[in-house]
Amino acid sequence: MKTPIYALALAAMLGGPAMAGDSPRSDAPHDTMRADTDGDGRVSRAEAEAAGSKKSTEWFDKLDTNKDGYVTQDEISHARATRRADMQARFDERFQEADANQDGQLSLDEVQAKMPRLADRFTTLDKDKNGMLSKDELASGGPGHHRRPEPQS
């Protein structure tokens, strides 16, 4: 039996951060690729529980926004869109806080003051070598840096 794409998406959501503010959990279920075991195109609470640990239930509750006892592709898509928007807002907020002179770019001094963990990578992140970091340069970040979500259309 072929696994529906949204069952795979649920697996990704169950196995990693599903909603903004949640951190990844090492005890999240790892083998949820077959969560939709009856092939009905949705994942029931029982299927989610069978796919993993007690944490599966917590993730399931967050994803089942209409509380009908099933997680559907629409609910997964909504959770992703919400998470993406929240991540974008946090990125924009942190950049704004760090940009002390409000010029739309971050100098090394601003990075050292508000984003000290990035300071040692400043030169690498400064792709155009102008001594400033733009939002785009930070977003493309390189290895070990979380990419900001792509703007939604």
Side-chain angles (χ1 to χ4, degrees):
M1 167 175 48
K2 215 171 190 184
T3 305
I5 189 70
Y6 48 89
L8 298 175
L10 174 65
M13 298 299 282
L14 289 173
M19 302 296 284
D22 291 340
S23 57
R25 313 232 178 166
S26 61
D27 57 350
H30 297 291
D31 187 21
T32 56
M33 299 301 279
R34 295 178 206 95
D36 181 18
T37 57
D38 63 8
D40 67 352
R42 57 191 184 168
V43 177
S44 69
R45 177 178 298 283
E47 288 172 319
E49 288 173 354
S53 68
K54 179 183 182 291
K55 297 295 180 188
S56 297
T57 304
E58 292 174 24
W59 291 113
F60 184 91
D61 290 340
K62 290 177 183 179
L63 292 171
D64 183 17
T65 55
N66 66 358
K67 304 304 178 202
D68 67 352
Y70 296 94
V71 173
T72 64
Q73 174 62 45
D74 288 342
E75 288 168 319
I76 292 168
S77 296
H78 176 73
R80 271 198 194 124
T82 299
R83 182 171 184 258
R84 187 177 303 122
D86 288 346
M87 287 173 59
Q88 179 67 51
R90 281 195 314 266
F91 175 86
D92 290 342
E93 183 180 319
R94 292 211 52 221
F95 190 93
Q96 187 78 16
E97 286 175 10
D99 187 11
N101 64 0
Q102 301 300 302
D103 67 352
Q105 299 185 84
L106 301 180
S107 67
L108 179 57
D109 289 340
E110 289 170 324
V111 169
Q112 287 172 331
K114 295 290 185 171
M115 298 177 165
R117 291 186 298 180
L118 290 180
D120 62 336
R121 295 180 35 220
F122 187 91
T123 304
T124 304
L125 292 169
D126 183 14
K127 300 293 183 200
D128 61 9
K129 305 302 178 201
N130 69 349
M132 305 293 279
L133 294 180
S134 67
K135 280 187 178 184
D136 288 339
E137 287 172 321
L138 269 180
S140 64
H145 183 72
H146 299 296
R147 298 174 66 88
R148 81 170 176 185
E150 293 297 318
Q152 296 179 9
S153 338

